[in-house]
């Protein structure tokens, strides 16, 4: 797919994960023991043959830049094309993604790709975008919008699409409280780059700044806008509760297989730490344990990220412990999420309710 350039648009993403997005954008939130949410988008691009990827970052992107580096782990550290990072730098307050795109117009104009695929950085899915491209050409579409049927019980707010029997988009509902079965737009669209630039300039000159709302939605009757129904596994993460629940679902090996292996691997930043160490006093049941962990206590139905230390007598149940956490001797943790570098003192008890309690990065408890 050398004909397509990829854009990860972080400008319109909602930071809906509470303390987990207090000091980082949602795309850089850790997930699944050793990944970040953005790893899924980058991996999907690369395995689909996209070799020119631009990341349009807006707020709290320091940890994102540290994670992405040169793009080496995704084979994007290239002399030709590769990974480009465009932080928002305008003196004006942020109005919308079109302004950010327009400020970097030379990036689009100089690229040699014919098509452009724009998506978010916090969608957890495993997709081959070549199938989207093939369907786009087959249908003779001007614009293709990717959507997913909503299958969760938890109420949430998303843009939705109304499509006919031929998957052509007839209408768009903005910021709708969705029900099961609604077609949720995944903020992912494909079109020719020349059309993208024309719509960007036209909409910007009209004083409008949201590409999907002002450039695509208002032109449904002017262009052939096609829907593409993604039918694979994809959790909707829009709250701490949904983040926790879908993280816990990874303890099901069938979910793990669908998400990380069925359509190619998901890549992440390499860490050359030692394997996890299980001491004689340790007991581990139905858990994901990343490399570099040292476990002397009990871990049940939990996810431990890289470098976590669990001291003797400590008990962790139904919890997520992120990088370099340390759980003191005799401590008890149930239904909690500990962000990076959290230290829990000896004999401390931390329990969450149905919605897990989040403890902020670098806390000492």
């Amino acid at each position: 797919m050398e004909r397509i350039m990829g854009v990860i648009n972080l400008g319109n993403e909602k930071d809906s994960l509470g303390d987990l997005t207090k000091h980082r954008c949602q795309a850089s939130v850790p997930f699944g023991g050793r990944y970040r949410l953005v790893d899924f988008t980058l991996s999907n691009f690369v395995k689909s043959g996209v070799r020119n990827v631009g990341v349009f970052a807006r707020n709290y992107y320091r940890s994102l830049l540290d994670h992405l580096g040169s793009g080496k782990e995704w084979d994007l550290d290239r002399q030709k094309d590769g990974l480009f990072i465009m932080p928002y730098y305008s003196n004006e307050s942020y109005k919308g993604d079109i302004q950010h795109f327009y400020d970097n117009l030379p990036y689009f104009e100089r690229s040699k790709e014919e098509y452009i695929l724009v998506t978010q950085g916090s969608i957890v899915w495993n997709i081959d975008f070549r199938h989207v491209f093939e369907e786009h050409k087959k249908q003779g579409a001007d614009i293709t919008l990717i959507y997913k049927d909503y299958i969760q019980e938890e109420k949430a707010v998303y843009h939705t699409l109304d499509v006919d029997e031929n998957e052509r988009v007839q209408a768009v509902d903005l910021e709708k409280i969705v029900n099961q079965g609604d077609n949720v737009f995944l903020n992912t669209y494909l079109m020719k780059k020349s059309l993208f630039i024309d719509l960007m300039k036209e909409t910007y000159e009209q004083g409008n700044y949201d590409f999907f709302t002002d450039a695509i939605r208002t032109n449904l009757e002017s262009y052939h806008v096609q829907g593409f129904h993604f039918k694979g596994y994809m959790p909707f993460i829009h709250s701490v509760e949904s983040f926790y629940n879908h993280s816990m679902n990874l303890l099901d090996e069938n979910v793990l297989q669908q998400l990380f292996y069925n359509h190619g691997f998901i890549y992440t930043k390499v860490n050359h730490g030692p394997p996890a160490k299980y001491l004689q006093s340790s007991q581990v049941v139905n858990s994901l344990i990343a490399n570099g962990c040292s476990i002397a206590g009990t871990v049940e139905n939990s996810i431990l990220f890289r470098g976590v230390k669990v001291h003797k007598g400590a008990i962790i149940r139904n919890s997520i412990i992120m990088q370099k956490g340390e759980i003191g001797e005799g401590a008890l943790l149930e239904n909690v999420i500990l962000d990076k570098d959290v230290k829990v003192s000896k004999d401390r008890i931390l329990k969450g309710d149905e919605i897990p309690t989040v403890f902020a990065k670098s806390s000492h408890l």
Side-chain angles (χ1 to χ4, degrees):
M1 290 232 299
E2 293 182 355
R3 299 172 63 188
I4 298 180
M5 65 184 300
V7 168
I8 301 177
N9 179 21
L10 306 184
N12 293 341
E13 289 195 330
K14 299 177 181 178
D15 294 332
S16 57
L17 300 184
D19 280 340
L20 294 177
T21 49
K22 188 174 182 179
H23 301 293
R24 60 166 76 93
C25 62
Q26 191 154 311
S28 65
V29 169
F31 184 79
R34 63 190 184 97
Y35 299 88
R36 304 284 182 131
L37 295 181
V38 72
D39 292 337
F40 293 89
T41 298
L42 278 173
S43 300
N44 289 331
F45 272 147
V46 171
K47 71 187 180 184
S48 301
V50 177
R51 295 293 180 261
N52 180 356
V53 177
V55 180
F56 284 74
R58 180 186 171 192
N59 292 325
Y60 303 118
Y61 49 76
R62 184 194 60 80
S63 65
L64 180 70
L65 300 186
D66 178 69
H67 180 71
L68 297 180
S70 65
K72 178 181 178 181
E73 282 78 7
W74 301 272
D75 193 29
L76 290 173
D77 56 336
R78 298 167 163 266
Q79 290 184 344
K80 178 184 177 182
D81 293 330
L83 181 67
F84 300 87
I85 300 175
M86 273 73 71
Y88 184 70
Y89 59 84
S90 175
N91 292 326
E92 300 181 20
S93 60
Y94 189 84
K95 298 178 180 178
D97 54 2
I98 284 182
Q99 182 182 16
H100 199 173
F101 293 154
Y102 191 85
D103 289 342
N104 291 276
L105 188 57
Y107 166 66
F108 299 106
E109 293 177 331
R110 292 171 184 169
S111 67
K112 294 180 172 56
E113 291 79 11
E114 183 180 358
Y115 290 84
I116 184 168
L117 178 63
V118 180
T119 188
Q120 285 193 332
S122 56
I123 305 176
V124 176
W125 56 345
N126 196 327
I127 181 173
D128 189 336
F129 287 123
R130 286 173 292 196
H131 298 157
V132 182
F133 184 51
E134 290 167 2
E135 190 66 19
H136 177 84
K137 293 190 298 179
K138 178 182 177 181
Q139 297 297 331
D142 297 309
I143 303 170
T144 293
L145 309 180
I146 304 181
Y147 70 92
K148 172 72 176 171
D149 52 310
Y150 191 74
I151 59 175
Q152 297 171 202
E153 294 183 0
E154 182 186 1
K155 294 296 183 182
V157 176
Y158 287 103
H159 300 327
T160 61
L161 307 180
D162 178 17
V163 299
D164 64 18
E165 64 277 6
N166 297 315
E167 296 286 328
R168 186 157 181 169
V169 179
Q170 301 297 309
V172 171
D173 287 324
L174 300 177
E175 300 294 326
K176 176 185 175 183
I177 298 177
V178 294
N179 298 307
Q180 290 186 352
D182 285 345
N183 298 326
V184 174
F185 174 53
L186 300 182
N187 293 303
T188 305
Y189 50 86
L190 170 71
M191 68 184 74
K192 282 194 172 182
K193 187 184 67 175
S194 57
L195 176 58
F196 174 82
I197 292 175
D198 288 343
L199 287 174
M200 180 211 310
K201 290 180 176 179
E202 177 183 329
T203 309
Y204 182 83
E205 290 168 359
Q206 292 171 351
N208 297 314
Y209 299 98
D210 186 277
F211 197 93
F212 176 66
T213 301
D214 301 320
I216 295 178
R217 180 173 177 261
T218 58
N219 283 294
L220 288 180
E221 296 182 0
S222 302
Y223 296 98
H224 178 173
V225 181
Q226 190 74 16
F228 181 92
H229 185 188
F230 176 66
K231 299 180 181 179
Y233 177 78
M234 197 216 82
F236 289 91
I237 296 177
H238 45 249
S239 64
V240 171
E241 181 180 8
S242 59
F243 172 83
Y244 173 81
N245 289 337
H246 291 301
S247 294
M248 291 295 107
N249 286 343
L250 297 178
L251 300 179
D252 181 336
E253 63 180 36
N254 292 323
V255 172
L256 203 66
Q257 180 71 31
Q258 288 184 66
L259 193 54
F260 289 94
Y261 303 107
N262 274 4
H263 300 287
F265 298 124
I266 303 298
Y267 301 98
T268 189
K269 183 178 180 180
V270 174
N271 183 304
H272 295 290
K277 180 189 295 185
Y278 300 88
L279 302 183
Q280 190 171 3
S281 57
S282 67
Q283 294 184 14
V284 179
V285 179
N286 192 37
S287 298
L288 287 178
I289 310 295
N291 64 310
C293 291
S294 175
I295 303 174
T298 298
V299 182
E300 300 176 357
N301 303 317
S302 296
I303 298 174
L304 273 56
F305 283 70
R306 292 164 170 165
V308 171
K309 295 181 179 179
V310 182
H311 290 278
K312 187 175 182 179
I315 299 175
I316 301 173
R317 296 192 182 106
N318 306 315
S319 297
I320 300 171
I321 315 299
M322 294 185 182
Q323 297 95 309
K324 298 182 180 179
E326 184 169 357
I327 315 304
E329 185 175 340
L332 172 61
L333 278 62
E334 289 188 5
N335 296 351
V336 298
I337 300 174
L338 271 55
D339 206 338
K340 290 179 61 178
D341 296 310
V342 173
K343 313 297 181 186
V344 179
S345 57
K346 180 180 179 181
D347 297 324
R348 184 70 190 271
I349 297 177
L350 302 174
K351 290 188 176 182
D353 298 319
E354 292 184 5
I355 299 178
T357 302
V358 177
F359 293 92
K361 180 180 177 181
S362 302
S363 298
H364 290 256
L365 309 169

